[in-house]
Amino acid sequence: MLVKNQLLSLKAYEPGKSVEEIKKDYGLAKITKLNSNENPYGSSPKAAEALANLSSQFAIYPDGGAMNLRAKVASHLDVDEDQIIFGAGLDEVIQIISRALLTPDSNTVMASPTFSQYKLHAVIEGAEIREIATVDGCHDLNTMLSQIDSQTRIVWICNPNNPTGTYVNETALKNFISRVPKETLVVIDEAYYEYVTAEDFPHSLSLLKDFDNVMVLRTFSKAYGLAGLRVGYGVGNKEFIQRLEVTRLPFNTSRLAQIAAEAALEDQDFIQGCVKINEKGLNELQAFCKRHKIDFYPSQANFIFIKTDKGHELYESLLQKGYIVRLFPNGIRITIGTEEENKNLLADFEDIIVKAGTPN
Ligand SMILES: *Cc1c(COP(=O)(O)O)cnc(C)c1O
């Protein structure tokens, strides 16, 4: 079969070893999963309650427009209902945007490292990719601007950035957007928005009033703890969103996902509680790194990136103690766990440092 040429350079997403496999291979009784930025406290109990009696509806297609969820999200964000597009996770919204905008004669600008899916879809669409190295883990906005030309369809700002955890502040973001041509879409991926505590973090939704070429992405997978149900969304200019809707599959979000997301959104106390505990855990981990002179990027998310050339060794040492983290070419990313998981992690990390030295 002759597939698109650009697929030949790609590999299908490889799920890592399962927790069960790792337990077996390493002879571990317990595994703490700190590799996917999931909410260690799960989701609001209200989400589970809302799903309890849905089995009679499994045979019925969901509401393709997700109208009830749409109304709740619109009111929560104070935007119009027709400014929102839903996806089976934010991953799908990223795919929809890429499919709708990118062509082989266009290009797209993004940071490196950043969230992997922006690049993947650009490759599939055959677009040129302009990756701009981060500086101290931060988007280099000036260099990104200098790479935008008349063929640039999308510029991606991951805020806070995955995997570095750093953020672009309000002034810098506004200044950047005001200098991007109005034909180029600026996508602001705020998958970790709920966790942010910095006071100068952008009020990105208010930018939508002034800029038709801005789109803001959010998800129910991270702080809301619904990664297994797949629902995320983008907010933007009405006319633009209606164009994107053409490329969305009619029943992309399931009934279960919609109903759980509605219930989770209503339970803001749960989110606030998780955010507080995350902040504490993040502070403890950052203080630990400072104390041990471990190089890290200051984070506004529910993870921290440790810069090290000994990532592989550190990854293995942590795995032997029962922690799965995420390995990158120049370091590791650790998700903030529960209070107890974090306490145990710091004790075990200390032990690793005593035996093997500081991972720099
Ligand atoms: C996790 C993540 C997403 C995708 O999340 P979904 O589970 O598909 O909603 C998108 N962007 C960033 C930056 C992420 O970290």
Side-chain angles (χ1 to χ4, degrees):
M1 238 41 73
L2 293 177
V3 299
K4 288 177 179 178
N5 260 335
Q6 53 267 35
L7 298 197
L8 305 178
S9 66
L10 297 170
K11 277 216 302 235
Y13 182 80
E14 275 180 43
K17 279 189 196 173
S18 74
V19 168
E20 288 315 312
E21 277 175 301
I22 293 174
K23 273 189 190 166
K24 216 170 130 219
D25 292 357
Y26 285 78
L28 295 161
K30 194 183 100 196
I31 283 276
T32 305
K33 202 173 168 302
L34 304 177
N35 62 338
S36 299
N37 303 339
E38 293 144 337
N39 186 335
Y41 290 100
S43 51
S44 163
K46 300 207 167 103
E49 280 165 33
L51 295 188
N53 294 311
L54 286 180
S55 58
S56 64
Q57 300 188 56
F58 288 175
I60 312 299
Y61 278 104
D63 168 10
M67 296 315 283
N68 292 336
L69 176 60
R70 180 178 297 277
K72 289 200 167 123
V73 170
S75 137
H76 180 70
L77 302 180
D78 194 21
V79 299
D80 291 337
E81 293 183 18
D82 51 6
Q83 287 185 268
I84 306 170
I85 184 166
F86 288 98
L90 203 45
D91 282 348
E92 194 195 19
V93 180
I94 293 166
Q95 180 191 44
I96 289 172
I97 297 168
S98 305
R99 183 168 189 196
L101 273 71
L102 298 178
T103 55
D105 57 0
S106 71
N107 69 68
T108 176
V109 174
M110 64 192 72
S112 175
T114 192
F115 189 55
S116 59
Q117 299 295 303
Y118 315 148
K119 181 172 178 176
L120 173 76
H121 292 295
V123 174
I124 293 172
E125 300 305 332
E128 181 196 337
I129 296 146
R130 300 184 177 173
E131 292 180 277
I132 313 302
T134 55
V135 177
D136 295 329
C138 301
H139 284 71
D140 177 356
L141 295 176
N142 281 331
T143 309
M144 289 178 81
L145 267 177
S146 75
Q147 291 298 306
I148 295 174
D149 62 23
S150 61
Q151 291 309 106
T152 307
R153 294 288 166 267
I154 311 172
V155 46
W156 302 90
I157 305 288
C158 188
N159 207 26
N161 189 38
N162 180 4
T164 58
T166 59
Y167 75 107
V168 175
N169 70 27
E170 169 111 25
T171 313
L173 184 67
K174 270 191 175 160
N175 181 39
F176 175 79
I177 292 171
S178 67
R179 292 161 70 194
V180 172
K182 59 184 190 316
E183 296 77 22
T184 300
L185 178 69
V186 182
V187 177
I188 307 167
D189 182 343
E190 296 185 337
Y192 301 95
Y193 176 80
E194 293 79 11
Y195 287 114
V196 170
T197 55
E199 287 187 355
D200 60 349
F201 191 80
H203 299 279
S204 55
L205 289 171
S206 69
L207 295 169
L208 300 177
K209 297 194 179 75
D210 294 328
F211 299 98
D212 285 344
N213 61 331
V214 170
M215 189 165 175
V216 176
L217 309 186
R218 305 257 175 101
T219 179
F220 284 95
S221 292
K222 303 289 160 59
Y224 285 94
L226 297 177
L229 287 174
R230 314 305 301 132
V231 50
Y233 59 91
V235 191
N237 165 271
K238 276 177 206 185
E239 286 75 31
F240 173 60
I241 294 292
Q242 293 327 300
R243 293 259 183 264
L244 285 187
E245 280 283 340
V246 174
T247 69
R248 181 179 67 76
L249 296 181
F251 303 106
N252 62 335
T253 57
S254 73
R255 168 174 289 109
L256 273 69
Q258 292 173 20
I259 290 177
E262 283 173 45
L265 187 64
E266 279 179 359
D267 193 352
Q268 287 300 314
D269 288 348
F270 175 82
I271 298 295
Q272 287 321 310
C274 293
V275 168
K276 275 225 164 62
I277 296 172
N278 180 73
E279 187 184 11
K280 183 165 170 273
L282 186 59
N283 286 340
E284 285 166 2
L285 193 49
Q286 295 189 140
F288 175 91
C289 289
K290 277 189 192 144
R291 202 158 63 239
H292 289 283
K293 304 210 161 33
I294 295 169
D295 231 355
F296 70 96
Y297 296 126
S299 172
Q300 282 291 316
N302 65 337
F303 57 83
I304 184 175
F305 191 94
I306 290 175
K307 286 183 281 178
T308 170
D309 298 333
K310 297 189 189 125
H312 237 286
E313 289 98 311
L314 185 54
Y315 176 88
E316 275 299 320
S317 312
L318 286 168
L319 199 48
Q320 276 162 18
K321 292 198 178 275
Y323 302 94
I324 313 180
V325 301
R326 179 75 194 270
L327 180 63
F328 286 86
N330 61 339
I332 61 163
R333 190 193 65 196
I334 306 178
T335 304
I336 308 301
T338 62
E339 277 183 293
E340 198 198 339
E341 287 168 348
N342 206 46
K343 201 172 108 225
N344 294 338
L345 170 76
L346 294 188
D348 286 326
F349 205 159
E350 184 100 40
D351 197 46
I352 291 170
I353 291 171
V354 169
K355 295 207 177 89
T358 306
N360 278 330

